[in-house]
Amino acid sequence: DSGVTQTPKHLITATGQRVTLRCSPRSGDLSVYWYQQSLDQGLQFLIQYYNGEERAKGNILERFSAQQFPDLHSELNLSSLELGDSALYFCASSVVYGVTEAFFGQGTRLTVV
Amino acid sequence: DQQVKQNSPSLSVQEGRISILNCDYTNSMFDYFLWYKKYPAEGPTFLISISSIKDKNEDGRFTVFLNKSAKHLSLHIVPSQPGDSAVYFCAASSNAGNMLTFGGGTRLMVKP
């Protein structure tokens, strides 16, 4: 158990809909990262928050947004969903600002039908 | 532009033998490298890391080698065990960066 909790584990939704994925980082970790893994491909970095502020942005679509709340949990919002958004979405957390080692949650499998 | 590449999508090894997983990178700003292991239906778990000031780091059966001039790192698993069967990702970060850049992964199968 990495200590990072993601909910829900599975999500099935229709095209055009909006979903919210939730992540609770390890106790004490201030940094939260979101990654997308499509069809057994590599992990694509989406976005990072540190102590409530956005710190880095990767290949995140404009239809996607995220935030980190005062209690440090984070949410990834995906809107106007398309079939190609079907993927595993991972959240990771680390204690420091710069990445050394990040701990991953079990992921949310999103299926868009 | 893939900054971290794992050119072998899969590798099959006999139990007890050595497994060597390779990773190449292009960004010379990377100065910290990690290997993660991922089982199906689970998130990646940290395995071992190496800083660019070193060329080798060892942890039990796992050793990571870094060749900065070649921009290449490798993970050696000796001896390989069936429980090592998983997808292995290498990742890299830079001191100035805030994220891990991952390779595409190599699926390791250790046969009994």
Side-chain angles (χ1 to χ4, degrees), chain A residues 33 35 37 40-43 45 48 55-56 88 90 97-102 104-106, chain B residues 32 34 36 38 41-44 46 89 93 95 97-105 107:
Chain A
Y33 311 81
Y35 284 84
Q37 185 185 23
D40 283 336
Q41 293 181 10
L43 293 148
F45 171 70
Q48 182 217 2
R55 288 295 189 178
L88 267 170
F90 288 103
Y97 172 68
V99 172
T100 52
E101 174 187 333
F104 281 78
Q106 290 194 326
Chain B
Y32 197 79
L34 308 89
Y36 280 80
K38 185 182 180 303
E42 293 184 13
F46 170 75
F89 291 97
S93 71
N95 191 40
N98 307 315
M99 64 183 188
L100 290 170
T101 301
F102 282 84
R107 184 178 301 277

Side-chain angles (χ1 to χ4, degrees), chain B residues 68-80:
Chain B
K68 287 189 292 292
S69 60
K71 293 192 177 68
H72 176 84
L73 65 153
S74 61
L75 174 68
H76 292 210
I77 307 173
V78 183
S80 301

Side-chain angles (χ1 to χ4, degrees), chain B residues 3-111:
Chain B
Q3 298 187 64
V4 179
K5 289 183 184 179
Q6 294 176 256
N7 290 318
S8 298
S10 64
L11 175 68
S12 183
V13 169
Q14 205 66 36
E15 181 180 6
R17 306 294 290 270
I18 184 170
S19 295
I20 301 176
L21 296 97
N22 294 303
C23 179
D24 297 294
Y25 62 96
T26 57
N27 188 340
S28 57
M29 297 299 292
F30 288 146
D31 56 9
Y32 197 79
F33 304 89
L34 308 89
W35 284 93
Y36 280 80
K37 180 167 72 172
K38 185 182 180 303
Y39 292 118
E42 293 184 13
T45 55
F46 170 75
L47 196 57
I48 192 169
S49 64
I50 188 167
S51 164
S52 60
I53 62 173
K54 292 184 172 183
D55 55 17
K56 177 183 173 181
N57 189 25
E58 199 170 347
D59 183 3
R61 296 185 297 114
F62 302 91
T63 303
V64 57
F65 295 92
L66 175 62
N67 182 335
K68 287 189 292 292
S69 60
K71 293 192 177 68
H72 176 84
L73 65 153
S74 61
L75 174 68
H76 292 210
I77 307 173
V78 183
S80 301
Q81 299 173 354
D84 296 329
S85 298
V87 177
Y88 289 78
F89 291 97
C90 74
S93 71
S94 68
N95 191 40
N98 307 315
M99 64 183 188
L100 290 170
T101 301
F102 282 84
T106 295
R107 184 178 301 277
L108 174 65
M109 292 163 285
V110 180
K111 297 179 179 177

